[in-house]
Amino acid sequence: MTISATAGCLVLVGVLVVVCVGLSGLLVTERRARDRRTAITSQTERARIAELAVATERNRIVREMHDVIAHSLAIMIAQADGGCFAAADTDKARRTFTTIAETGRGALVDTRRILGMLRNPAAAADFSPTPDADDIDALVKRAEATGLPVALISVGEPVTLPSAASLALFRICQEAITNVIKHAGSAAPCVVTQSWRADDVVLSVTNENTRPVGTVPVGGQGLVGMRERAELVGGELTVDQQDGRFQVRAVIPYSAPEGWDE
């Protein structure tokens, strides 16, 4: 090989080395840029997930506050109205005001628990336990004590529900009874039915509407909240109003929906 040919090969090799080094630098730069884009995307995604979690928690707390306060006030107002007529009967008046006081104290405890969760979510366990499906019997008895003609019927063998589903069942029943008192009147006959089936429990709250048909709102915040509670645990809720009868019907599955984390 001649000297000129050798020099040409050396030049070519040098050019290739320079090209390789340049390409390597470009690859490193591109990789770093990609890593930065990935990091930014991850941060954005984490921020979005955090915002969604905050919004979800806020909505959950709003539902809890609505259910606790609306139910307790409905019971207390109904009892206060009845207290005017019970004033002449000492024993009846005492029972009426005792119910008002107990309802108020219970609402205060629940409100403190919910507000405590807002201040310090990690300390939620320090507050009184949330109600569940086992408390529906006591809920119905408290409503009956106000003068509401209400009966509880249970069909089938009760099943221990996941905590979220159990709370949803209780709150839906509570809100439905509250609506009966608020919209149909405390004298409206009401039947609460729990049907425990193979894969789910069906809760229905049915009342005779003692007021003109059409006066019970079917799109109020309470009904929206009940529907949200049912859907969050994989269930569904329907309302029906006809022939002077109003019914709330919730279907709650025994197993949590896929991806649900209690």
Side-chain angles (χ1 to χ4, degrees):
M1 180 180 294
T2 64
I3 294 176
S4 60
T6 301
C9 288
L10 290 174
V11 170
L12 179 59
V13 169
V15 170
L16 290 175
V17 169
V18 171
V19 171
C20 289
V21 171
L23 288 175
S24 177
L26 288 174
L27 289 174
V28 170
T29 301
E30 174 59 25
R31 184 171 63 251
R32 289 174 177 172
R34 185 174 65 249
D35 291 343
R36 284 196 297 270
R37 290 195 298 270
T38 300
I40 292 173
T41 301
S42 298
Q43 290 174 358
T44 302
E45 182 65 16
R46 286 195 296 270
R48 188 189 67 80
I49 292 174
E51 290 176 359
L52 181 60
V54 170
T56 300
E57 182 66 8
R58 185 186 300 117
N59 288 335
R60 185 178 73 86
I61 291 172
V62 167
R63 284 194 299 271
E64 284 288 288
M65 289 294 291
H66 172 273
D67 291 348
V68 168
I69 294 174
H71 177 75
S72 299
L73 287 179
I75 294 293
M76 294 168 74
I77 291 170
Q79 286 294 92
D81 287 341
C84 297
F85 301 99
D89 186 331
T90 304
D91 290 337
K92 188 173 182 179
R94 184 181 296 108
R95 290 195 301 271
T96 297
F97 290 113
T98 296
T99 300
I100 292 174
E102 290 176 349
T103 302
R105 279 193 291 269
L108 183 59
V109 169
D110 281 342
T111 301
R112 283 174 174 169
R113 173 179 57 80
I114 296 169
L115 293 178
M117 292 167 59
L118 277 173
R119 298 190 194 98
N120 183 11
D126 295 337
F127 295 84
S128 61
T130 56
D132 56 31
D134 292 337
D135 296 311
I136 288 180
D137 183 63
L139 173 69
V140 171
K141 288 179 179 178
R142 285 197 300 271
E144 187 178 24
T146 70
L148 182 71
V150 56
L152 174 62
I153 299 173
S154 185
V155 179
E157 187 66 26
V159 172
T160 301
L161 298 171
S163 59
S166 190
L167 175 62
L169 195 70
F170 176 87
R171 290 301 190 201
I172 289 171
C173 184
Q174 182 185 55
E175 178 63 20
I177 290 176
T178 300
N179 283 347
V180 172
I181 296 173
K182 288 167 56 179
H183 301 298
S186 58
C190 177
V191 177
V192 177
T193 303
Q194 294 181 92
S195 297
W196 300 91
R197 306 191 300 190
D199 300 312
D200 53 38
V201 56
V202 179
L203 171 76
S204 63
V205 180
T206 308
N207 67 275
E208 298 297 324
N209 189 7
T210 57
R211 295 173 181 174
V213 175
T215 59
V216 179
V218 295
Q221 182 62 37
L223 292 177
V224 171
M226 284 190 285
R227 184 172 287 109
E228 288 178 348
R229 282 189 180 277
E231 292 175 351
L232 279 173
V233 294
E236 61 180 17
L237 183 136
T238 57
V239 296
D240 180 57
Q241 178 177 310
Q242 58 181 349
D243 301 327
R245 177 184 61 87
F246 189 83
Q247 182 183 77
V248 172
R249 183 177 185 271
V251 180
I252 305 296
Y254 296 151
S255 58
E258 185 177 354
W260 174 265
D261 182 9
E262 288 198 67

